[in-house]
Amino acid sequence: MKHLILLSLLLVNLKLAAQQPIKPNAVEIYNQIQKLNFLGSVLYLAAHPDDENTRLISYLSNDVKARTGYLSLTRGDGGQNLIGPELREQLGVIRTQELIEARKIDGGEQFFSRANDFGFSKNPDETLQIWDKDQVLSDIIWVIRKFQPDVIINRFDHRSPGTTHGHHTSSAMLSFEAFDKVNDAKIFPNQLVFVETWKPKRLFFNTSWWFYGSKEKFDAADKSNLVTMKIGTYYQSLGKSNQEIAALSRSRHQSQGFGSTGTRGEEVEYLEFLKGDAPKDKNNFFDGIDTTWNRIPGGKPIGAILQAVEKNFDFKNPSASVSELVKAYALLERLENSHWRTIKLEELKKTIAACAGLYFDAVSNEQEVTRASTLNVKVEIINRSNVPMKLNGIGAVPVYNHKEEQIIRDLKNNIPLNDNITLELPKDLNYTNPYWLNQKGTVGMYRVDAQVDIGSPDVQRQVKVGFWIAIYGVEIPFERNVVYKYNDDVKGEIYQPLDIVPIATSNFAEKVYIFNSNKEKTITVLVKVGKQNIQGTVQLQVPENWKVTPTQIPFSITRNGGEAIANFTVSPSNESSEIVIKSIVKVNDETFDKSKIDINYSHINKQMVLKPAESKGIRLNIKTKNERIAYIMGAGDEVLKCLQQMGYDVDILKPEEISNEKLLNFDVVMTGIRAYNVVNGLAYKQSVLLDFVKNGKTMIVQYNTLDDLVTKDIAPYSLKISRDRVTEENAEVRFLAPNHSVLNYPNKITIEDFKGWKQEQGLYYPNEWDTHFTPILSANDKGETPKNGALLIAKYGKGNYVYTGLSFFRELPEGVSGAYRLLANIIAIGK
C-alpha cells in the first residue's frame, strides 16, 4: 500500500543525525529514568574539539545525572589531520562528527559557535582581532539562553593571556563576560524572539596542577576556593569506570590521534569558583539549586510518579513502567510551555519507547536523491511488549497535529507492521550540506544568518517521517529521519544518512594546475549525476587571456550516480598569473556549479560537502630539474599530488620497501608531515635513508611534532624539535644565508615569494641543532624573538639532508606560488 505524503516546506532545527537506531538495554533504560528525575544542567565551555574534559562531562552526565553540554567555540578547522588529507573546512566537518560521536558515549550534548579555527594563535588579542568578538560573544550568550545551564565551567583561565593558545584564553574571557550579560534584555535583544534571558547560578574554572606549573606547586596551593569532585566512579551495572567511559569518548577524536587508555580508581577534579552564588558544600557544585521536579510549576505530582517508577523499575520487564511513564507524559503535556517541559517531554518519549521495545524505521531505497523527485520509503513499526497501543497515523514532519494518513491499527506484541510510503520532495528543498558552509564567511568567522541555526552541531536533515502512537489512550508523536540502509557482506547492517544532491555536480581531478611554461595542459573534470537519464554539457570558465578547447563537452549518463569524464585542453597566459578555473554543468535550462565531496570514515557518519566547482591555475616562472622523488607518506597530506603537478616523477615508498637497492632509482626522498610520529617502520630504516644521503642524494623531512617520535635519530646530526612556530603568515622573512644555493638555484627566491601564504608560515621548528646545519630563514610573530629553524640544511657525506617546518602541506594545495618555487629549489639542492 502506498500513501502520498507531501513534505512540508517548513524548516526546523533538527538534532537527530542519520545513524543506526538506538536499542537501549535495561541498565541504559534505568539510567534514562534516573535522568528524568534530575532537573539540573551544566555547560562546559572551551575553544576546540579535544579541549573538553571528558572525565568531568561523563561524571556529570552519568553519575550526577545532570543535563551536560559542551560548547566548543570552533570546529577544529585549523588543525592537522592524522587520518586523511582533509584540511580546513573539511577537517572541521570531520571533527564536528567526532565530537558528536564522543557525546554519544559520555552522555553530553554538543554545541558550536560561528568562530572559525584559523590556526594557532599565541594570544587573545590576535584571536579577537581575527574572530568577530561581538559575534562570538553573541553566540555564547545565545547558547546559554537556549540551554539554560545552572552552572557554567570554563576549561581555561581567563586571567593568563599568552600562556596557552590564544583561542583557549579567549574562550574563557568571553565566557566570563557573557556570564554577566546573558540576563540583560538589552544585550542582543534580537535573540529574545526565540529565547528568554537567563541567569546561571555560578561560574567555575576547571583548574588542575597543569595551570599551576607543577604538581608540587598545586599540592602546596591554597584550595579553599576550590570545589572538589571525586569522579572515579565505578558503574557496576555498566562494568566500566567513569574514566574508562571518558577514554572511549576521547578516543573518538581519531583525526587528532587522541586515542586514550582508560584508568580506574579514585580521581579528583577541581573547580575554582569565579562568579555567582558560591556553593556552601565544597563537594557539591549544585548546592543551593533545586534540581527536583519542584522547579517546574505543577511538576510535583509528575516527580512523584517518576520517583516511584525509578524505585520499582523491573530490570527483567521494563515495559511494566510504561503505564506510569505515560501518565507522567500526559500530566507534563498539560503544563504551560517551559524550558524543562520541552526537554522532559522528549526524554519521556524516548524512555517510553525504550521500555516498550517500540521500534521505528523509515528507510529509503536510495542514499542520494534530488529535489522535486519521488522517494519510496519502507516503514517498519513494531511493539515488542504486552503494552496495548495503536498506530493512529503516519505523516511527514514537521507537521505536528496533522496526519496525512489515518491508519488506525493495533500494534500487537512482536508483530511487525511494514508499509511503503511515497514522499514527493519539494523543488526548493535544501541540498544536504553543513549549514555553516552554505555561505562564504571570513578567515575568522563562518556566516550563519538564521539565528535558530546558530549553535546547532550537525547537518540539518529535512526529510522525516512521523508516527502517531496511542499508548493507554494517550497519543504520542514520534519521528525518525529517513535514512538509507544496506547490508555489507563483512560489516552487516549499515546505516547512512539520506542526502539531497544536485542533479549534476562536477569535480576537478586536481585542486591546483601548475603551468611552468606556455605549454598547454589537459584538465580533467568528473561529472556525476543524481538522477537517471541525464544529458547536458560541461564547460570551463577562465579569464580571457587563457584559452580552453573545446568550449563545451556534451555528456549523457543513464544511471543514477553515474559519472562521465570530460577532458579540456587549457593554454595559459604568457605572463605569470594565478586564476580560478570554474566548472559549469548545464542540464536543460538549469546551471550547476557545485562540486560534491564525500567524507567517509568508519568512526563517523558519512558526510557530504558541496562547494564551488573550482580549481586554481597558476602560470609560474618556475624552473625544475628532472629529479625522481620517493615520497614516504606521513599523517596525510596532498604534497605528493602537488609535486606531480610540478612535473616531477613521484612514487610512494612504503617503509617495508626501503632498501639500498630500491633507493638507487631515486634522486630525492621526501617524508610527509609527521612521518616520524606515525610511521613506526621508519625506526628500522633510518640507517638506510641516511646512507642514501651519504652516497650523494637528498633527503627532505617535513615537520614532525616533538612528542612520540618513532626514533630520536631522525637526522644525521643532533636536532631538537620544539614548539616554536610562526603563526602570522605575513610575518617578515629574513634570509640568513642569502648566497646559499637553495635561495638562488634554479629559481631566484625573494621576499615576494613569502607573500600570500595561508594560515601560518610554519610550525614545530627545531630550536637547537648541530653546527653542520645551516639555517636559511628567520621570522617571528610580533613581539617575539626570531625563529631560525624553519629551514635547516646540512651536508652529509656527498649528499644533503634538509629539515623544514615550513607549512608546505598547507601552501601547495592552496596554490601559493612562492611555496612551489622554494620547494623546487630545495629538491634541486646539490645539482
Side-chain angles (χ1 to χ4, degrees):
M1 182 176 71
K2 292 186 177 181
H3 313 286
L4 183 63
I5 301 179
L6 298 177
L7 282 178
S8 168
L9 300 182
L10 175 65
L11 306 183
V12 293
N13 189 15
L14 305 177
K15 294 182 179 179
L16 296 176
Q19 60 186 14
Q20 191 161 349
I22 297 172
K23 304 167 187 175
N25 57 42
V27 170
E28 292 165 334
I29 294 171
Y30 182 67
N31 288 336
Q32 290 181 15
I33 293 171
Q34 288 181 308
K35 288 182 78 76
L36 281 171
N37 283 313
F38 192 93
L39 281 72
S41 55
V42 186
L43 183 66
Y44 200 87
L45 193 150
H48 308 109
D50 80 16
D51 284 344
E52 82 274 30
N53 184 339
T54 54
R55 298 181 304 277
L56 190 52
I57 290 175
S58 175
Y59 173 78
L60 292 169
S61 179
N62 296 302
D63 192 306
V64 178
K65 308 299 180 185
R67 185 179 182 225
T68 308
Y70 174 46
L71 171 54
S72 174
L73 296 190
T74 76
R75 297 177 184 266
D77 329 75
Q80 287 83 51
N81 184 0
L82 286 183
I83 61 175
E86 297 87 357
L87 292 174
R88 293 302 306 147
E89 290 82 2
Q90 293 177 49
L91 177 58
V93 170
I94 292 174
R95 291 190 172 181
T96 292
Q97 292 301 313
E98 289 177 338
L99 272 184
I100 291 170
E101 294 300 321
R103 299 293 81 79
K104 292 176 186 177
I105 294 171
D106 58 37
E109 299 179 42
Q110 186 61 50
F111 305 97
F112 294 96
S113 83
R114 288 171 290 176
N116 192 335
D117 179 3
F118 56 83
F120 191 86
S121 177
K122 294 182 178 178
N123 60 73
D125 291 338
E126 179 197 36
T127 297
L128 296 176
Q129 285 176 359
I130 298 175
W131 287 352
D132 184 317
K133 178 186 173 183
D134 284 345
Q135 284 190 14
V136 181
L137 179 63
S138 169
D139 293 355
I140 294 172
I141 288 177
W142 164 256
V143 171
I144 294 173
R145 286 172 173 173
K146 192 174 181 181
F147 188 72
Q148 295 189 11
D150 298 303
V151 179
I152 299 174
I153 303 174
N154 289 345
R155 182 68 183 105
F156 299 103
D157 189 354
H158 66 285
R159 300 158 295 193
S160 56
T163 61
T164 182
H165 198 316
H167 297 180
H168 293 168
T169 310
S170 296
S171 72
M173 292 168 62
L174 292 171
S175 175
F176 194 81
E177 182 177 348
F179 185 87
D180 292 327
K181 293 183 174 180
V182 68
N183 198 38
D184 186 346
K186 297 178 182 178
I187 303 296
F188 305 118
N190 59 303
Q191 297 180 1
L192 302 181
V193 177
F194 309 100
V195 293
E196 298 176 346
T197 59
W198 177 249
K199 182 62 177 176
K201 190 76 170 178
R202 52 191 64 122
L203 175 68
F204 291 96
F205 159 46
N206 183 196
T207 191
S208 69
W209 68 264
W210 188 86
F211 292 96
Y212 285 73
S214 69
K215 292 182 178 180
E216 292 74 19
K217 290 181 180 179
F218 182 64
D219 291 340
D222 178 13
K223 299 183 182 63
S224 59
N225 194 38
L226 304 185
V227 170
T228 58
M229 305 187 78
K230 295 182 178 180
I231 55 90
T233 304
Y234 173 62
Y235 303 107
Q236 293 189 27
S237 59
L238 300 176
K240 293 183 178 68
S241 70
N242 185 69
Q243 299 98 313
E244 287 172 319
I245 293 174
L248 292 172
S249 171
R250 190 161 184 79
S251 296
R252 293 293 88 190
H253 296 298
Q254 292 186 18
S255 66
Q256 301 181 77
F258 280 164
S260 181
T261 300
T263 61
R264 291 145 291 280
E266 189 172 294
E267 190 171 341
V268 177
E269 287 287 342
Y270 296 93
L271 303 176
E272 179 187 352
F273 173 74
L274 297 178
K275 278 186 180 181
D277 297 331
K280 296 178 181 178
D281 183 351
K282 296 297 183 181
N283 296 314
N284 176 18
F285 78 174
F286 273 110
D287 182 46
I289 300 172
D290 187 358
T291 60
T292 72
W293 278 91
N294 294 331
R295 77 183 297 171
I296 301 180
K300 186 174 181 179
I302 299 172
I305 293 173
L306 294 177
Q307 289 287 347
V309 169
E310 180 179 340
K311 181 180 179 180
N312 299 320
F313 184 75
D314 186 347
F315 285 86
K316 294 183 178 180
N317 181 24
S319 64
S321 299
V322 171
S323 61
E324 293 301 296
L325 290 170
V326 170
K327 286 181 184 177
Y329 179 91
L331 287 175
L332 182 57
E333 202 174 28
R334 297 187 195 115
L335 298 183
E336 292 185 6
N337 282 331
S338 68
H339 174 72
W340 280 108
R341 175 185 180 274
T342 302
I343 293 168
K344 292 303 177 180
L345 278 174
E346 287 301 310
E347 289 183 8
L348 271 166
K349 285 200 294 186
K350 291 177 183 178
T351 306
I352 289 167
C355 285
L358 187 55
Y359 176 88
F360 307 94
D361 227 349
V363 178
S364 165
N365 59 355
E366 300 173 88
Q367 196 269 316
E368 295 181 350
V369 295
T370 60
R371 297 167 168 173
S373 62
T374 299
L375 179 65
N376 296 315
V377 178
K378 181 180 179 181
V379 172
E380 179 186 352
I381 313 166
I382 186 169
N383 166 26
R384 290 170 289 184
S385 73
N386 288 317
V387 174
M389 60 180 73
K390 292 180 181 291
L391 171 66
N392 282 353
I394 302 175
V397 293
V399 195
Y400 286 107
N401 303 319
H402 172 69
K403 297 173 279 294
E404 293 290 341
E405 290 292 336
Q406 298 286 336
I407 314 172
I408 300 177
R409 300 186 190 175
D410 289 329
L411 296 177
K412 297 180 180 180
N413 184 10
N414 216 29
I415 304 298
L417 188 159
N418 295 299
D419 207 344
N420 292 301
I421 63 175
T422 302
L423 304 183
E424 299 293 342
L425 303 181
K427 63 181 180 181
D428 56 353
L429 193 66
N430 289 338
Y431 293 132
T432 300
N433 201 42
Y435 70 90
W436 59 95
L437 299 180
N438 283 335
Q439 301 180 81
K440 185 175 178 61
T442 65
V443 173
M445 299 297 298
Y446 287 117
R447 180 179 170 184
V448 181
D449 292 337
Q451 181 66 58
V452 294
D453 292 341
I454 294 171
S456 177
D458 208 355
V459 174
Q460 297 168 345
R461 307 284 175 183
Q462 295 175 261
V463 185
K464 299 173 74 77
V465 171
F467 305 85
W468 285 261
I469 310 295
I471 306 176
Y472 290 113
V474 177
E475 187 176 90
I476 302 175
F478 298 90
E479 61 183 45
R480 292 293 182 269
N481 286 338
V482 177
V483 298
Y484 173 67
K485 181 173 70 173
Y486 68 96
N487 184 73
D488 183 277
D489 290 342
V490 176
K491 299 177 181 179
E493 188 177 57
I494 302 293
Y495 279 78
Q496 289 184 343
L498 177 71
D499 289 333
I500 311 300
V501 301
I503 289 175
T505 56
S506 58
N507 288 59
F508 285 90
E510 304 292 343
K511 290 183 178 179
V512 178
Y513 290 91
I514 302 296
F515 294 81
N516 292 348
S517 66
N518 292 334
K519 187 178 178 181
E520 62 190 26
K521 272 197 171 189
T522 298
I523 291 184
T524 300
V525 175
L526 182 69
V527 179
K528 184 176 181 179
V529 298
K531 292 182 72 173
Q532 293 180 347
N533 301 318
I534 297 297
Q535 295 180 344
T537 61
V538 57
Q539 63 187 58
L540 299 185
Q541 287 186 354
V542 298
E544 290 182 357
N545 57 347
W546 289 58
K547 183 180 178 182
V548 177
T549 56
T551 55
Q552 65 180 27
I553 296 176
F555 67 87
S556 178
I557 303 174
T558 58
R559 183 175 58 85
N560 183 4
E563 300 175 342
I565 294 175
N567 290 315
F568 294 90
T569 300
V570 176
S571 301
S573 61
N574 292 326
E575 66 278 0
S576 296
S577 59
E578 295 183 9
I579 68 164
V580 173
I581 307 172
K582 296 183 179 181
S583 172
I584 306 294
V585 179
K586 292 185 178 180
V587 177
N588 298 325
D589 295 328
E590 288 189 86
T591 297
F592 300 94
D593 61 355
K594 300 294 184 185
S595 67
K596 186 170 81 71
I597 300 166
D598 290 324
I599 300 175
N600 207 350
Y601 291 99
S602 60
H603 68 299
I604 60 175
N605 282 334
K606 175 184 176 292
Q607 299 296 299
M608 184 183 91
V609 178
L610 294 176
K611 59 185 299 186
E614 298 176 351
S615 183
K616 199 167 190 177
I618 304 178
R619 172 64 173 93
L620 270 181
N621 180 18
I622 183 174
K623 298 175 183 177
T624 60
K625 298 302 177 181
N626 297 318
E627 293 90 353
R628 189 174 181 197
I629 302 172
Y631 199 87
I632 302 172
M633 294 299 297
D637 61 58
E638 296 186 332
V639 172
L640 182 146
K641 288 184 177 180
C642 297
L643 292 171
Q644 292 171 331
Q645 273 295 311
M646 294 171 73
Y648 292 110
D649 186 359
V650 189
D651 287 351
I652 293 178
L653 186 63
K654 296 179 180 179
E656 60 271 21
E657 296 174 337
I658 298 173
S659 66
N660 291 320
E661 182 179 4
K662 182 78 171 179
L663 292 178
L664 289 174
N665 299 315
F666 300 99
D667 304 295
V668 177
V669 168
M670 189 171 185
T671 62
I673 60 173
R674 299 181 71 170
Y676 284 96
N677 296 124
V678 300
V679 183
N680 292 324
L682 286 178
Y684 311 104
K685 298 293 185 176
Q686 192 65 1
S687 61
V688 179
L689 292 170
L690 293 181
D691 283 344
F692 171 79
V693 179
K694 197 172 185 179
N695 291 330
K697 302 299 181 68
T698 298
M699 183 175 182
I700 304 168
V701 177
Q702 295 185 80
Y703 96 93
N704 294 271
T705 65
L706 65 167
D707 301 318
D708 300 323
L709 291 168
V710 299
T711 175
K712 293 181 180 180
D713 301 320
I714 66 172
Y717 309 110
S718 63
L719 183 77
K720 184 178 180 181
I721 301 172
S722 73
R723 298 188 185 277
D724 286 353
R725 61 177 76 204
V726 178
T727 64
E728 297 170 12
E729 60 271 21
N730 58 354
E732 178 192 3
V733 176
R734 300 172 292 274
F735 293 166
L736 299 176
N739 295 324
H740 197 286
S741 64
V742 77
L743 296 178
N744 295 280
Y745 181 82
N747 305 284
K748 180 66 175 178
I749 303 299
T750 71
I751 298 302
E752 292 297 313
D753 288 301
F754 291 91
K755 292 184 178 180
W757 284 49
K758 308 296 183 183
Q759 185 167 317
E760 63 201 355
Q761 281 187 9
L763 61 170
Y764 293 102
Y765 293 169
N767 63 353
E768 296 179 19
W769 52 83
D770 188 272
T771 56
H772 284 87
F773 284 102
T774 299
I776 305 298
L777 305 173
S778 178
N780 55 271
D781 292 327
K782 292 177 183 177
E784 293 196 353
T785 58
K787 305 296 184 287
N788 299 337
L791 179 58
L792 301 174
I793 301 174
K795 288 292 293 183
Y796 181 63
K798 299 178 182 178
N800 293 274
Y801 176 93
V802 180
Y803 188 93
T804 180
L806 293 170
S807 58
F808 287 113
F809 73 103
R810 293 196 191 279
E811 312 312 321
L812 300 181
E814 290 288 342
V816 177
S817 58
Y820 279 94
R821 286 164 45 81
L822 178 58
L823 184 57
N825 282 18
I826 294 173
I827 292 170
I829 283 181
K831 292 290 185 180

